[in-house]
Amino acid sequence: MLDPILLRQRPAEIAERLQATRSFALDAGALESLEAERKHIQMRTQELQNLRNTRSKAIGQAKASGGDVTALMAEVAGIADALKASESRLEVIREELDAIALGLPNLPDLSVPLGSDESANVEQSRWGTPRVFDFTPLDHVELGARNGWLDGDTAAKLSGARFTILRGGLARLHRALAQFMLDLHSGEHGYVEVNVPVIVNAESMRGTGQLPKFEDDLFATAVGDSKRYLIPTSEVPLTNIVRDTIVDHTQLPMRMTAHSMCFRAEAGSHGRDTRGMIRQHQFEKVELVSIARPEESDFEHERMTRCAEVLLERLGLPYRRMLLCTGDMGFSASKTFDLEVWLPSQETYREISSCSNCDAFQARRMQARWRNPATGKPEPVHTLNGSGVAVGRAMIAVMENYQQADGSIVVPDVLKPYMGGIDVLR
């Protein structure tokens, strides 16, 4: 959520910035009109409350002196009716203003390049040299099918399209990757490992920005009248740990990591990456989340991105870092770095990690605050999240980059301790 004071005082400026950076149309005039009515109704409501209290006190005094209170009681009844109507209208206006505020994306940081889509993203750096094969490399689907490790047909029979079954050595490789990621981030990078629920309530989804705008991209479940959502990433439960709390400044930065199942309906991506495991309804990811003081969030963003880069370097996977433009960033982000890993079968880099600084945007939605020792007052924290990394996509990258001419896959050195002595998948 954007700064409500800024939104009330300078709606035209906010509308201009959103249009220029996000191609988002905010009706500043309608917002100003609603805000003016809110102020008027709120003042009227307060006046009626004061008048009711004054007249009610007069009734008590009149009764005590034996006077006739009929007229006063009729007046109070009329005031009560007017007050009820005023309070009702005020509630409606506040709900309309909240709905507008919840639908506004975050404002991009001034360092973010302008652009409407991924073509305007800016490459920041590269690591590693793509391998030159002396045979035609297969993609992960062909490698998996050839060895019976990856089975989309049976998964489709069980659950429908965009689900996959992994078997044998490939299933173990997938598990090894997740364990390696958790060990690296918790053991060397200072993130506290957390095991989180994969089903959350609407308040949690609203807090991190998935609701109300992106409900079509979510899987939901209902038991009786209770509706809950399957998480699209463990960013949701991890970040919401600090919802409705005031964090002590000595606990910041708060760094957490979690490995979880993730679920996405992918409602707007028909026809995109439907082959194999690039874009699935169910997948696994190791997530990184930081809760930080405002002045340290830029440092935390760089640090988090570097932690994900180290992981790819340990795996020996060539990658590049991209600074996303304004039109390609997520709804809640103010600045995002994407890490893209090299896939030989496609001869291109594909996203494997996305690390975002959301500044105070999510914190305002969640009422997540810290007490600034300099002022003694609670202020919004800054929240950051990143993939550290997507397990399935890391497995795809390992399969393709470490494949041999006979279809076998060499296990990267850092994963061998997790593979029970297996050094080649045959």
Side-chain angles (χ1 to χ4, degrees):
M1 184 178 292
L2 300 181
D3 185 344
I5 297 175
L6 193 64
L7 200 56
R8 284 197 300 267
Q9 294 179 350
R10 288 146 55 184
E13 179 184 328
I14 296 296
E16 184 179 353
R17 288 181 62 186
L18 286 173
Q19 182 61 52
T21 59
R22 296 277 199 169
S23 297
F24 185 94
L26 168 63
D27 189 338
L31 186 60
E32 288 177 320
S33 178
L34 272 174
E35 178 59 24
E37 186 180 1
R38 182 198 65 79
K39 288 180 180 178
H40 172 73
I41 297 295
Q42 185 164 307
M43 288 180 63
R44 177 60 176 158
T45 301
Q46 291 171 346
E47 289 171 356
L48 288 169
Q49 289 171 338
N50 291 334
L51 186 59
R52 179 195 58 185
N53 294 340
T54 301
R55 291 294 184 265
S56 296
K57 186 176 180 181
I59 290 174
Q61 292 172 342
K63 284 183 176 179
S65 62
D68 185 4
V69 297
T70 305
L72 282 172
M73 292 184 68
E75 183 182 1
V76 169
I79 293 170
D81 290 340
L83 177 59
K84 183 177 180 180
S86 185
E87 289 174 334
S88 178
R89 178 57 187 161
L90 184 60
E91 181 64 25
V92 169
I93 294 171
R94 283 173 172 165
E95 288 176 357
E96 291 179 12
L97 288 169
D98 285 346
I100 292 172
L102 287 171
L104 300 180
N106 201 357
L107 290 169
D109 186 82
L110 295 177
S111 64
V112 174
L114 286 173
S116 59
D117 55 39
E118 61 184 16
S119 64
N121 295 342
V122 178
E123 183 174 319
Q124 304 283 288
S125 61
R126 291 193 183 200
W127 183 91
T129 302
R131 174 184 168 190
V132 177
F133 291 83
D134 57 6
F135 59 93
T136 302
L138 302 178
D139 71 8
H140 73 284
V141 179
E142 295 167 315
L143 286 166
R146 182 175 178 176
N147 294 288
W149 295 326
L150 191 154
D151 186 350
D153 292 337
T154 302
K157 179 180 72 173
L158 300 177
S159 305
R162 297 195 181 188
F163 291 90
T164 303
I165 288 175
L166 301 179
R167 295 192 181 93
L170 196 61
R172 180 155 192 167
L173 179 67
H174 188 271
R175 173 162 54 92
L177 280 161
Q179 289 179 295
F180 164 64
M181 293 173 193
L182 284 175
D183 286 350
L184 178 64
H185 293 316
S186 62
E188 295 187 34
H189 293 159
Y191 289 84
V192 175
E193 183 177 348
V194 184
N195 189 291
V196 294
V198 298
I199 300 176
V200 297
N201 54 32
E203 289 79 8
S204 295
M205 287 293 191
R206 193 175 296 112
T208 44
Q210 281 76 23
L211 289 178
K213 188 174 178 63
F214 302 104
E215 184 152 13
D216 289 345
D217 287 323
L218 303 173
F219 283 107
T221 181
V223 178
D225 295 331
S226 177
K227 184 177 183 180
R228 292 185 174 85
Y229 297 86
L230 280 67
I231 61 171
T233 162
S234 54
E235 167 205 346
V236 177
L238 284 174
T239 309
N240 274 276
I241 286 174
V242 296
R243 189 178 81 223
D244 296 323
T245 62
I246 299 177
V247 183
D248 189 277
H249 72 96
T250 59
Q251 295 180 271
L252 301 176
M254 185 185 296
R255 299 173 182 139
M256 298 172 283
T257 185
H259 167 231
S260 75
M261 288 285 188
C262 306
F263 305 87
R264 295 184 185 174
E266 300 285 3
S269 60
H270 297 292
R272 297 178 59 198
D273 296 318
T274 55
R275 173 178 163 81
M277 291 185 64
I278 293 289
R279 194 175 295 273
Q280 297 270 281
H281 288 312
Q282 174 187 309
F283 59 97
E284 294 178 41
K285 189 150 68 83
V286 171
E287 188 75 2
L288 305 174
V289 162
S290 289
I291 312 299
R293 302 176 186 90
E295 66 269 18
E296 65 192 5
S297 67
D298 286 342
F299 171 81
E300 282 296 302
H301 190 201
E302 178 62 36
R303 184 187 188 278
M304 175 181 288
T305 307
R306 184 64 194 137
C307 288
E309 288 177 338
V310 168
L311 189 146
L312 295 176
E313 291 169 13
R314 297 281 180 91
L315 289 170
L317 297 173
Y319 70 88
R320 65 179 184 178
R321 181 198 287 207
M322 304 294 291
L323 173 60
L324 299 196
C325 71
T326 54
D328 199 32
M329 288 196 311
F331 179 81
S332 298
S334 65
K335 185 175 182 177
T336 298
F337 291 120
D338 268 9
L339 302 183
E340 298 178 346
V341 70
W342 178 257
L343 292 186
S345 68
Q346 299 182 19
E347 295 187 332
T348 191
Y349 291 92
R350 296 299 304 269
E351 179 201 337
I352 193 170
S353 172
S354 190
C355 298
S356 296
N357 187 351
C358 299
D359 55 56
F361 184 83
Q362 292 177 326
R364 292 192 191 98
R365 299 169 76 102
M366 297 187 300
Q367 287 296 296
R369 295 168 293 170
W370 70 296
R371 193 174 300 280
N372 188 335
T375 64
K377 296 179 180 179
E379 301 173 8
V381 294
H382 278 200
T383 63
L384 304 95
N385 63 82
S387 312
V389 295
V391 181
R393 292 194 180 189
M395 185 191 71
I396 290 170
V398 168
M399 291 173 70
E400 294 197 9
N401 283 279
Y402 283 87
Q403 65 179 290
Q404 306 301 302
D406 63 356
S408 62
I409 299 168
V410 175
V411 176
D413 288 343
V414 293
L415 297 183
K416 288 178 182 178
Y418 301 92
M419 291 295 292
I422 299 172
D423 57 8
V424 179
L425 301 184
R426 303 186 184 279

